[in-house]
Amino acid sequence: IGKARNMDEYYFHVADDASLDLTEAVTIGVWVYLLSLPTAEVKNWTSLLYKQDGCELRNYGLWIHRTKRIHFSTTNGTNCVGATTDSLDIALNKWHHLVATYDDESKIVQFYIDGQPNNTVNLVGHSPNMAKGINSANLTGRAFNGLMDEAMIFNRALSAEEVKNLY
């Protein structure tokens, strides 16, 4: 309790490690308290959690758009591919639990907002096989303005029940 980080003042960087090189499935989750949304001046999107070295080498990432859409992305080795929710009822100055799961076999991205399933997107046809061995990139101007807590990365796609239990 009381250990959330104000990301306007801090960022965190985790050194590359083989345990973060996920190539078959991933669940990314984080508690966020938005103080403001990204603006067009900062490229419309802000990163929540990601592992990448440029778009062609994005292993996985979770982002938020100025229109309150959540985005999960990975790469096909050349281009970023991903899925985005419709605009969500994400209030400023309130805690929200945001989760995305991805399974490379089914090519399904499942989003969860505050423990409840949201959009499901099928990436079949986009060939988004997850890359591996990627370091985080410097994404200048995309800093998250708010608090973050309990950032989580799992090496498998959690079930709806498991995500609900995290909430």
Side-chain angles (χ1 to χ4, degrees):
I1 306 277
K3 301 291 183 185
R5 282 287 188 185
N6 183 338
M7 301 309 288
D8 191 37
E9 299 172 13
Y10 300 95
Y11 71 95
F12 61 91
H13 175 86
V14 177
D16 191 26
D17 186 272
S19 67
L20 296 172
D21 294 341
L22 306 179
T23 59
E24 296 178 7
V26 65
T27 297
I28 305 173
V30 64
W31 282 92
V32 297
Y33 187 96
L34 295 164
L35 296 174
S36 68
L37 290 164
T39 63
E41 290 78 29
V42 294
K43 305 176 185 176
N44 295 315
W45 295 95
T46 191
S47 57
L48 300 173
L49 296 172
Y50 64 90
K51 185 175 191 292
Q52 73 178 53
D53 188 12
C55 192
E56 69 281 357
L57 297 176
R58 180 172 294 161
N59 194 201
Y60 46 81
L62 192 62
W63 308 77
I64 189 166
H65 191 264
R66 65 184 174 90
T67 59
K68 299 183 180 180
R69 294 180 291 149
I70 306 301
H71 179 76
F72 168 84
S73 62
T74 186
T75 185
N76 62 13
T78 305
N79 300 301
C80 289
V81 292
T84 304
T85 65
D86 296 328
S87 187
L88 302 169
D89 185 23
I90 298 176
L92 298 179
N93 302 308
K94 181 180 176 188
W95 283 104
H96 294 283
H97 190 233
L98 308 177
V99 176
T101 64
Y102 176 70
D103 169 9
D104 202 44
E105 184 176 322
S106 69
K107 307 288 190 218
I108 298 292
V109 177
Q110 174 67 60
F111 292 97
Y112 298 86
I113 311 301
D114 295 333
Q116 298 301 311
N118 193 270
N119 291 44
T120 300
V121 181
N122 188 331
L123 294 181
V124 170
H126 297 283
S127 302
N129 297 317
M130 294 176 72
K132 88 180 244 190
I134 295 158
N135 299 311
S136 64
N138 177 14
L139 296 175
T140 305
R142 293 191 186 209
F144 175 80
N145 185 20
L147 303 168
M148 281 191 188
D149 202 6
E150 298 182 29
M152 300 168 266
I153 300 172
F154 296 87
N155 63 356
R156 61 188 180 85
L158 297 183
S159 70
E161 187 65 29
E162 290 172 312
V163 171
K164 186 176 181 180
N165 288 338
L166 292 174
Y167 178 71

